[in-house]
Structures are given as structure tokens and as C-alpha cells.
Amino acid sequence: MKDPAERLVDELLAASSLLQAESLLFDNAGVCAWDKLWGALLLRRDRLRAAGRPAAEQAALQVVRLVEESRGGWELLAHRRRQPSRIDVVFPVAPTKPRMVLEQIVLEHLDRGDLEAALASARKTDALPCTDRDEQARIAEVRVHLAYALQRVHRNREALDILESVDADPEGPDLLPHGGPAYLAAGHLHLKRGSLYQSLGLHGRARHAFASACQLAEPIGDDLVEALARTGLADAFSAVGRHRDAVREHRRVIDLIQTRRPDEDVALAHALNHLGEALRLAGDAAGARSCHQRALELVGGQDGWALVESAARFGLSDAALESGSGEEMVENLFQGFIVTLTPDLQSLGTGLSRLASRLTQDVPETDLLISLAEIFLDGFAGPKEPSSPGYRRVSLLFDRALALQHRRQGRRREAATLLSRLRQQTQEDPEQFQYHAVTADLAETLAAGSHADRQLAVDLLWQSRTALVRRLAAEADADADTSVADPQSMRAAVQQHRALHHLLADLLLDHGRELHVPSARSPEELAFDIHEEVAQPGRRTGFASVRERLRSEHSAEQCAFLAFFPGEDQTTVFTYVPATDTLRVNRVPIGHKQLTDAVTDLHRAFDGDPHAFPPLPPLHPRRPWRRPTPFLDSLTPLIAAFLPHVRDRELLLVAGEGPMQRIPLHAVPMPDGRPLAAAHAVVRVPHPQALVAGGRPRFTTAGTRPVFCAGVAAREDPAPERFENDAGLLTVPSWSVDLLTGTAADRHTVLRRLATAQIAHLTCHGYFDRREPLDSGLLVSHDGKLPSKAPGQLSVRARLDHLITVRDFARYVLDLDLLTLRACATGYDEFAAGDVEDLVEALLGSGVGSVVAALWNVDETSSRRFLADFYQRLSADPHKPLWRAFWQAQRNMLARPDHDWQAHPYHWAAPSLSGDWSRL
């Protein structure tokens, strides 16, 4: 008979969602010791990792985090089930309320300002079970007060430990009753948890905590908690570069205020300032300006609201800087500081920090800004202690800005001297953000000097980069041993120091042959690895692994590997040809913003823009030439950079970082005007790690191939037959098609049929869940009902009923060789920001060999013709590589379209092939 801990682990990993897993966990509280459960779960995670099943491992890690975070409540419930009426500790008070007596003592210590005594009392109370369900809300409130006190003295980690020891879920198993006080206490607890996670750089966990606070606030109509939680959620999105998601959440806050608190002008002004900042970061300077001006109109001149008014002024200054209006920038900065000439030093400190960030940029008004900074910096120090943390931070920012001004004006030696001193001052900083930033500034200053200066610059950068990589690797290993690593937080930490990595890579590429570097690898290989560290932090895939994988393939003579790493002003292109074992590097003057603009313009042109004024309709499929495509022509220099190195290679394996993941490179014109697909097949690999992990058993070459076809329309679709008539595309020799459509295509049936197929063709809608990426997937029927086209508006349980999630694919270990998704824009996620990948990568990670998906909304006629041709070629020659059949279908449609309009890239370039190119 299986051990109870092993049996519970099996059930937890088989759960269809985290909600179900949580319910199973608490239903089985006490069936085994927690240590045995924990050990069995970690052992299962290690086995999945050793078996090379990354998606299943990620699903297990989600359960590991759930179990870890639930330990207190699980053991408490287990204790109560074993001894429902017994209290282990005797107090000189009524035995039914011992916990609350000590909680009251914690509050009394806090009232007297004795934080250490409050902490000691809190630790004593944690040893006691909560004997009354109604007391749990009160305990949560006390812990929030204690956490605030700890945070005020910068003891954030201790504050978080205090909060994580409390289980205040009002819907937990028999812990709290439903009702306002319980929801209110739990909401406050999650709010404070989110704030602490955010301050510690754990942005993924912060989002989860803020989202939980939102869900708790909504049932009881607590507008304040919901507004604060959504604001925190938006800040967590901004911290990892997801500015459009931040804009969405800030707009929800404004809608909430205008709907439920229409008379609260100050609250609305606060929200408008937050939205303005998010819009500016998202690239909408005009929208940001409008928000800040509206905030000024609401509170301008009113006493007591200096923080709101100064934030609006500083926001207008930022927007002016973005639009190149120097005079307006300085004027608003000055007015913002005038507003802060009050006892509100918080406003003054905020303004000084923002002014310091302006001084790191080369603007004509730099001298005037430094004079302004000197005046108000003296005022900030004024009656306060000059050694206070706030003053030291602001002073450091201005010293750094002054050093950069020296450098801009040609005084490099003075700049290097000042930066060297600042580097020593920041070396002991626990977070070391300023230390790494100042190191990058110093190295950039030295790089323009003599050979000895460049060598020193490389030494400093190498030392700083090594320390940063080791620290992040240690944090990732620690997270892997205890809970789920937060890849978005790791990415954000590396992205904060990307200037350091990029400068080191540029020095290696420009001067690597003449400099000493502590590595036997070539400068080009080192530069590749450094760029990969920034693009995929924590994945630890080096060029050596890519070389070994590609040179071992039978297609090595035919292929070349391309990796694109966009920077602020240029994109670095690495081209590796396995047959000749040569790695070449080109840098193209096309930066991140130009690539992002090209993606935006492409989707506006092809999919339309319903939010524009006037709304822009989708491209007319029969008249595509009426809408020009300059966004494709502008990317030709990217093609010209690597084309001379790959002339004899038919197959290009393309890995791209950031917006390059959404560029249809196969449709970009070569210098002769033809699209790249006319000369080369293009297969997308999400990142080099996926390339290294590729390689699956090839298609069988004899017998009948089992093919599964499913079509599920949404209940809002006006023509469901468009989703249910694709079986005809698959009626080719040697293929046995299993068809499932409409309400019959439910989650369990589709998964069962997929388990016996080699090839699958699914026509349905997709959904990507950013909060829980493993709950992303494909929308199917449930209980005789078609899914909704907008699943995000449903409850979690209702949504999961209609989803085949990535978690499902991982658990069933489907051995699919090819999965075709014929749905609307399944390969594109509008809000992708590099923290998580799109649905295609999630499917590849779950074990699917190759995925064909559309990069934009496809035309019914042309997409059917393309896929029919592709499938015919796959069936006609079982020995033909999958990529070659796909490429020939592309070229056939481009050269011999049924109608002239099908030769437009809107039609033939929409399908893209991603994943394992090597199989036959």
C-alpha cells in the first residue's frame, strides 16, 4: 500500500488547478507528518527535473510553493483535528482565550514603542493554536501593525516573516467564517505582504499578494483596499517592464473612484498621477501629460496636498523631457520644488530623486538643473541629519549625476575619480544596485581612454558581472530548494544592470583580442553568453551548449543559427554556422524602440485598432496592398547584416529576445526586395535553452499516422462552422483522422484523444494567464456548453473548466510531434514583455515537439490553402524534414497564389513554425 505522503503528492500533482490542489491539501491535513509530505514533494520535483520534463517540473514547483506557504494553516488544522479541545499551554486566564491575551500584549508593546518586546511576545503567541475561528481576523490585524512597525525601521525581511506566519484566508478550510471583518483583515494582510514583496524585489509574489487583496475586497465592496491593491499590482507590473498591464490596472482604479467615490478629487488626482507615470513608461507622453494636467486641475493650490501637486509637476516634467521640450521640463521641475517648500520632506525627497535621474541624461539644460539641485539639496539636508538614509541616497544620486556631467563635458579624469570614490561608498550596500550602476558608469568612462584604462574597465565589469550572476544563481538555487523561483524578479534584477552586461559585451567585441579576460573562450563566445544572461536570466545556457547541439545534428550542413539581442540603440546579431564552426557578430543600428514600434505598426495594419479614433478596421484580405507595410522594409538592415554569412544555408534557426520574438523575420525584405522566405526556411526557437533541450524521436516512417482534429467555437462566434470544418485539410494518404467538434470537445475527451496522436490540429481560441502561466491554454467545451471568447471575465473555477492548460499538457506527458493551432493570433500576446513567454513557448515547454501558429488574425481562405498544402507535403514524403515541407508550402503560396492577393505577406507569412526543427 502506498505511503500516505506519496499518495497525497500524487493527488496534488494531478490536480487540475492550484485551487483544487489547495482544497486537497487542507482536506488531507493530518494524514501524515508535514515533514514527510515536504520530503516526498521535493523528491518528486527532483525526479521530474532529472527526467528532463521542464513543464512538469514547473507544475510541481507551483505545488511546492503552495504547500510551503500553507504549512502554518495545514499544521494548525491537523492539530485541531487530533486534539480539538486541548490547549498545551496553561495561562492564568480563561483557557478559551489565551492567544488573544498575548496578542493584546503585542499591541501594548507597540503602543509604547518597544518593538523588541512586541516581537518577543509575538513569537510566544505563534506557538499557540487559534482555538476560536473568529479570532483569526484579529490576529491578522495585530500582525499587520507589527509588520508596519518593522518596515518603518527598514527590517523588511523580518516584517515579511511575521506576515507569512499568518493564515488569514477567509475561504480556507474551517479557519475563518465568511463575512466583512474576516475579508477586511485578510485584505490588509495581503496588501502588506505585497508591499514587502515589492520592496524586496519579489515582484511575482507581490502581484500574487495584491491580486489576492483585490479578490478579498470585491465581495465586501471595500473600495480603499481594492484601489490600493490594484495600484500595488500596477507597480509590480511596471517593475518588470510590463507597462501596458500597469496602465490597465491604473485605469481600473480610476474607474473605481469615479464610480464609487465621485467626490474624492484628491484620490482621483493620485490615481491620475499614477496612470500618467505608467503611460509615459509605455511610450505615451501625450497621454501622460493629459493625466498630470487633469490632476493639477483637481488639487492645484489646495492646502495640504503638496505631494499630489508636486507629483503632477514632476510628471509633466518627465513628459516634457520625453517630447524634447527642455524649457517646459525645467519650468515644471522648478514649480514642483516650489510646492515642496513645506514640512512635507517626502515630496522634496521624491523630487530630488527624480531630478537626479534627469541629470544622468544629456540635455541642454544640464547646468541649470545642477544649480537647481544644489539649492534644494541644501534644503533637504537643512534641519535633518545629513547622515540619514534619505539624505545619503539623494546625495549619492547627485554625486553620480555630477560625475556624468564631467564626462559629458570631456573631463573624464575628474569623472573617473569621483566615480571611483562612489564605488567604494556603495560597495557595502546590501542591495548593491547603486554599486553595480556606478561600476558601469566608471567602466564606460575608462573605456574611452588608453589601453590600460580599457583593461581596468573590463576587469571592473567582469568582477561586478560575476558577483551579480553568482548572487542571482544562489537566490535561484535557494528558491528551488524551498519554493518556486521568481523568474520575472530575476529578469528585472538583471535588466536593472543590463548596461553593465552590454558594455562588457561591447568591449569584448571591439577590443577583446587585445585585452586579458579570465577565460579561454573567444571574445565572441563570451559576448554571446553575456547577452544571454540578460535575455534569459537563470537559464544558464552558454554558446558551448549551442555549438555541441547543432554540430551533432544531421542537418548541420544545411542550417545556421541566428540570435538577436536588441539594445537601446542597436541590435546585436550572432550568426553561427555549424558546418564551418564559425561565429560572427554584427551590430545593426536598430534599437529596442524601433523594433517595438514595428511590431505595433504591423498589428495595427493587419489586425486593426478598435481603440483608435477613428477606429482602424482590420486589413481587408482581398485588398491587402491598400495598406502599406513600411514596418517590414525598415527591418531590412537586420537581414543584410547576417545574409552574407548564410548564403549556402537553407535553414535558419532564429532566437530573438524582446520584440524580436514577435517579428515575422521570414517576411522581411532582403536587399534585393524579395522576402527572406524566398531564399531561406525560418524556424523560430524561443531561446537558446529551447534549442539545446530539443531533439525528440522522429516521426515514424511506416504505417498510418494517428492524427487528431478538434474544432471548438466560442459561444459568441457568429459562424461556428468555421471552427468545425478543418477535418478536410487532414484527409491525406497514410493519415488516420480522429475528429471531435463543438460541445463534444470537452477538456477530458480532447486530452484523452491527444494522448494517442502524433499530429494534432486544433481550431479554437487561446487564453494566456499572466498571473499563473501554467493555467494558460486552449478553450474547449464543458458540460455541453461552448466556451466564452472572454474567459478572463469568468471566475477561476469556471475558466478552468473550459481550459486545457499547460499544466494539463505537463501532467499527461503528451508525445505530440506537431501541434497546429488554427485560431486568432495564437502566436501573439499583446502584453508580452519578456517576463513570461507566449502560449507557443508554453506548449513547447510542455513537451509538444513543434507548433504551427498564426502571428496575427488569419484569413479563412488563405490559411486553409496553406495548411492543406503543408499537410499534403508531410504525407507525400515521410522522409522529408518538417521544416522543409513548411517552407515549400510558404514558397508555393508566395510564387503561385490562387489569387494575386494571397502573395501579400498578410496571407502567406501569418503561419510560423516554432520548436524542434530536427525531426523528420
Side-chain angles (χ1 to χ4, degrees):
M1 185 173 180
K2 184 171 281 191
D3 181 79
E6 289 285 347
R7 187 175 65 253
L8 181 54
V9 168
D10 290 340
E11 294 177 358
L12 291 173
L13 294 180
S16 61
S17 70
L18 285 179
L19 288 175
Q20 185 183 3
E22 184 177 32
S23 178
L24 284 168
L25 179 66
F26 282 104
D27 286 345
N28 290 277
V31 298
C32 62
W34 189 89
D35 290 340
K36 293 197 67 175
L37 172 63
W38 183 246
L41 189 56
L42 292 184
L43 181 61
R44 187 70 59 86
R45 178 206 64 189
D46 294 340
R47 287 175 180 171
L48 292 171
R49 180 181 297 166
R53 294 170 55 189
E57 180 193 349
Q58 284 298 314
L61 287 173
Q62 293 276 0
V63 176
V64 168
R65 183 178 69 179
L66 170 67
V67 172
E68 182 192 29
E69 292 178 348
S70 304
R71 176 176 182 175
W74 196 80
E75 291 190 322
L76 171 61
L77 187 56
H79 175 81
R80 290 174 59 190
R81 286 175 176 169
R82 290 193 304 268
Q83 302 173 355
S85 61
R86 183 181 167 210
I87 299 175
D88 295 330
V89 182
V90 178
F91 288 83
V93 292
T96 57
K97 297 291 183 180
R99 178 78 183 252
M100 295 313 298
V101 171
L102 288 186
E103 294 293 345
Q104 185 63 38
I105 293 174
V106 173
L107 284 179
E108 290 174 359
H109 285 312
L110 285 176
D111 289 339
R112 291 197 300 266
D114 193 342
L115 182 56
E116 297 305 325
L119 273 173
S121 296
R123 293 189 182 103
K124 291 180 181 178
T125 66
D126 288 339
L128 295 175
C130 179
T131 59
D132 187 340
R133 296 185 308 175
D134 297 331
E135 295 172 1
Q136 193 71 21
R138 179 62 172 161
I139 295 170
E141 292 176 356
V142 173
R143 289 300 182 271
V144 169
H145 284 295
L146 183 55
Y148 271 110
L150 287 166
Q151 191 178 29
R152 282 196 293 269
V153 294
H154 309 289
R155 294 164 64 174
N156 292 346
R157 179 62 68 178
E158 289 179 79
L160 187 57
D161 290 342
I162 287 290
L163 294 182
E164 288 186 331
S165 68
V166 180
D167 187 352
D169 182 359
E171 298 191 24
D174 198 33
L175 290 181
L176 279 176
H178 292 271
Y183 278 83
L184 185 63
H188 287 165
L189 186 75
H190 284 299
L191 268 180
K192 179 46 63 177
R193 277 181 181 171
S195 172
L196 290 167
Y197 282 136
Q198 187 80 331
S199 67
L200 293 170
L202 302 171
H203 308 299
R205 297 183 185 181
R207 290 199 308 276
H208 182 75
F210 287 130
S212 297
C214 287
Q215 293 173 356
L216 291 165
E218 288 175 359
I220 59 173
D222 192 319
D223 306 336
L224 180 59
V225 169
E226 184 177 352
L228 292 173
R230 291 202 179 279
T231 301
L233 187 58
D235 291 341
F237 280 133
S238 289
V240 294
R242 291 169 53 182
H243 304 304
R244 292 189 179 185
D245 288 334
V247 167
R248 183 190 66 235
E249 294 301 329
H250 285 310
R251 281 179 171 155
R252 287 178 175 175
V253 174
I254 289 176
D255 289 342
L256 185 151
I257 294 172
Q258 290 178 328
T259 303
R260 303 183 192 173
R261 298 174 175 239
D263 298 328
E264 295 195 9
D265 290 346
V266 174
L268 181 58
H270 267 297
L272 285 166
N273 278 332
H274 285 303
L275 175 58
E277 178 71 7
L279 286 169
R280 183 183 66 81
L281 293 173
D284 186 358
R289 188 193 309 271
S290 175
C291 287
H292 294 308
Q293 287 175 339
R294 175 62 178 148
L296 277 181
E297 293 171 3
L298 289 170
V299 300
Q302 295 186 36
D303 294 335
W305 300 112
L307 184 60
V308 182
E309 188 173 352
S310 63
R313 287 291 183 186
F314 294 139
L316 287 171
S317 175
D318 292 343
L321 180 62
E322 295 286 342
S323 59
S325 178
E327 292 183 3
E328 184 183 353
M329 177 195 70
V330 174
E331 172 64 22
N332 278 294
L333 267 176
F334 183 75
Q335 291 296 331
F337 280 120
I338 292 298
V339 174
T340 64
L341 293 179
T342 68
D344 187 0
L345 285 178
Q346 181 182 358
S347 298
L348 181 56
T350 300
L352 286 167
S353 297
R354 297 180 79 152
L355 175 55
S357 69
R358 300 300 159 276
L359 295 174
T360 62
Q361 304 178 49
D362 189 8
V363 296
E365 297 79 10
T366 296
D367 291 337
L368 177 58
L369 293 179
I370 286 183
S371 299
L372 190 64
E374 291 172 348
I375 295 171
F376 287 99
L377 186 59
D378 290 340
F380 186 52
K384 297 294 179 183
E385 176 59 44
S387 61
S388 67
Y391 176 78
R392 286 201 308 271
R393 177 179 177 277
V394 173
S395 179
L396 170 66
L397 289 173
F398 280 113
D399 283 344
R400 183 182 167 203
L402 183 60
L404 296 181
Q405 186 200 31
H406 285 318
R407 189 174 74 191
R408 284 193 297 266
Q409 296 179 354
R411 299 188 295 274
R412 292 189 172 270
R413 191 53 55 191
E414 291 88 339
T417 301
L418 180 53
L419 289 169
S420 296
R421 178 169 59 81
L422 291 177
R423 186 170 180 269
Q424 293 177 351
Q425 293 176 0
T426 57
Q427 194 162 9
E428 300 304 320
D429 176 20
E431 297 296 328
Q432 292 207 321
F433 171 74
Q434 290 296 337
Y435 172 73
H436 292 300
V438 170
T439 298
D441 291 336
L442 176 57
E444 186 176 356
T445 304
L446 294 169
S450 64
H451 176 273
D453 285 340
R454 284 195 294 274
Q455 182 64 61
L456 178 57
V458 168
D459 292 342
L460 292 172
L461 290 169
W462 189 269
Q463 176 187 0
S464 190
R465 168 253 179 188
T466 301
L468 179 63
V469 170
R470 284 177 179 170
R471 184 178 67 121
L472 292 174
E475 291 178 0
D477 289 341
D479 278 342
D481 290 336
T482 57
S483 64
V484 176
D486 187 352
Q488 291 182 331
S489 298
M490 185 178 293
R491 178 186 295 274
V494 174
Q495 288 290 329
Q496 286 178 326
H497 307 297
R498 61 186 179 275
L500 184 151
H501 289 76
H502 289 167
L503 178 58
L504 177 56
D506 287 344
L507 281 170
L508 289 171
L509 293 175
D510 291 335
H511 307 285
R513 303 295 177 182
E514 63 189 56
L515 297 172
H516 170 71
V517 179
S519 175
R521 291 172 291 167
S522 71
E524 292 79 11
E525 293 179 32
L526 288 173
F528 178 93
D529 289 353
I530 290 167
H531 277 289
E532 181 65 8
E533 286 171 6
V534 180
Q536 303 293 334
R539 284 197 165 130
R540 308 178 190 177
T541 301
F543 176 75
S545 300
V546 173
R547 168 191 276 139
E548 180 181 0
R549 168 77 168 94
L550 291 177
R551 287 180 64 81
S552 67
E553 278 299 324
H554 67 280
S555 57
E557 293 293 329
Q558 301 168 303
C559 76
F561 171 65
L562 303 171
F564 295 83
F565 298 102
E568 184 176 351
D569 301 314
Q570 63 182 12
T571 295
T572 304
V573 185
F574 291 84
T575 307
Y576 176 64
V577 180
T580 59
D581 196 23
T582 54
L583 175 65
R584 295 182 173 87
V585 185
N586 298 89
R587 281 170 286 185
V588 183
I590 295 178
H592 191 282
K593 185 177 186 305
Q594 185 175 346
L595 292 172
T596 302
D597 290 344
V599 172
T600 301
D601 292 343
L602 181 150
H603 284 275
R604 288 191 77 251
F606 289 175
D607 292 336
D609 185 357
H611 304 295
F613 183 79
L616 182 68
L619 185 68
H620 195 295
R622 304 300 184 268
R623 295 187 288 275
W625 308 104
R626 292 190 175 183
R627 197 168 288 175
T629 57
F631 41 83
L632 292 177
D633 298 333
S634 68
L635 301 178
T636 294
L638 288 175
I639 303 294
F642 66 78
L643 207 56
H645 312 316
V646 300
R647 291 195 183 279
D648 299 327
R649 313 297 151 188
E650 290 184 304
L651 173 61
L652 303 181
L653 309 173
V654 178
E657 193 260 334
M660 282 301 304
Q661 294 175 339
R662 305 189 295 279
I663 295 287
L665 200 67
H666 52 285
V668 175
M670 296 183 291
D672 63 8
R674 295 180 303 151
L676 181 63
H680 300 277
V682 176
V683 175
R684 297 167 20 139
V685 291
H687 42 74
Q689 173 69 26
L691 183 87
V692 172
R696 291 161 45 91
R698 295 183 172 90
F699 280 146
T700 56
T701 58
T704 301
R705 292 179 181 174
V707 179
F708 173 60
C709 178
V712 185
R715 51 179 174 260
E716 299 93 343
D717 287 321
E721 64 274 7
R722 293 177 54 193
F723 290 77
E724 300 176 0
N725 294 336
D726 279 2
L729 300 175
L730 300 157
T731 54
V732 296
S734 75
W735 285 17
S736 174
V737 180
D738 178 16
L739 177 63
L740 197 66
T741 61
T743 55
D746 61 65
R747 178 171 166 273
H748 296 290
T749 306
V750 171
L751 281 170
R752 190 168 58 250
R753 304 281 182 89
L754 284 171
T756 60
Q758 281 187 334
I759 299 173
H761 177 105
L762 304 181
T763 308
C764 59
H765 294 280
Y767 172 75
F768 195 82
D769 191 328
R770 287 202 165 277
R771 294 178 183 172
E772 291 292 347
L774 293 178
D775 286 339
S776 306
L778 307 173
L779 289 163
V780 292
S781 297
H782 173 69
D783 197 21
K785 297 178 182 178
L786 293 174
S788 169
K789 193 183 289 187
Q793 299 177 6
L794 303 176
S795 69
V796 176
R797 292 186 185 277
R799 180 165 67 241
L800 290 174
D801 285 340
H802 284 279
L803 274 172
I804 302 177
T805 65
V806 176
R807 195 188 310 276
D808 292 324
F809 282 100
R811 188 172 68 252
Y812 277 78
V813 197
L814 300 175
D815 193 24
L816 278 171
D817 289 308
L818 173 65
L819 173 61
T820 297
L821 301 178
R822 188 166 178 260
C824 293
T826 47
Y828 172 69
D829 180 0
E830 179 184 0
F831 299 109
D835 50 330
V836 289
E837 307 300 341
D838 60 16
L839 182 58
V840 171
E841 182 180 350
L843 289 167
L844 293 173
S846 72
V848 178
S850 299
V851 177
V852 173
L855 293 174
W856 49 83
N857 292 337
V858 295
D859 174 66
E860 171 76 9
T861 303
S862 59
S863 63
R864 288 185 66 87
R865 179 215 155 141
F866 177 88
L867 290 174
D869 190 6
F870 172 48
Y871 290 147
Q872 287 286 346
R873 293 176 188 277
L874 275 182
S875 173
D877 187 356
H879 298 279
K880 180 180 296 182
L882 188 152
W883 64 265
R884 187 175 293 281
F886 188 85
W887 182 37
Q888 288 175 343
Q890 276 185 331
R891 292 197 299 174
N892 186 46
M893 190 167 179
L894 178 62
R896 292 181 293 277
D898 290 341
H899 305 280
D900 289 343
W901 44 265
Q902 290 182 350
H904 190 276
Y906 169 77
H907 292 280
W908 67 265
S912 69
L913 175 63
S914 303
D916 186 2
W917 79 99
S918 61
R919 294 167 302 109
L920 294 174

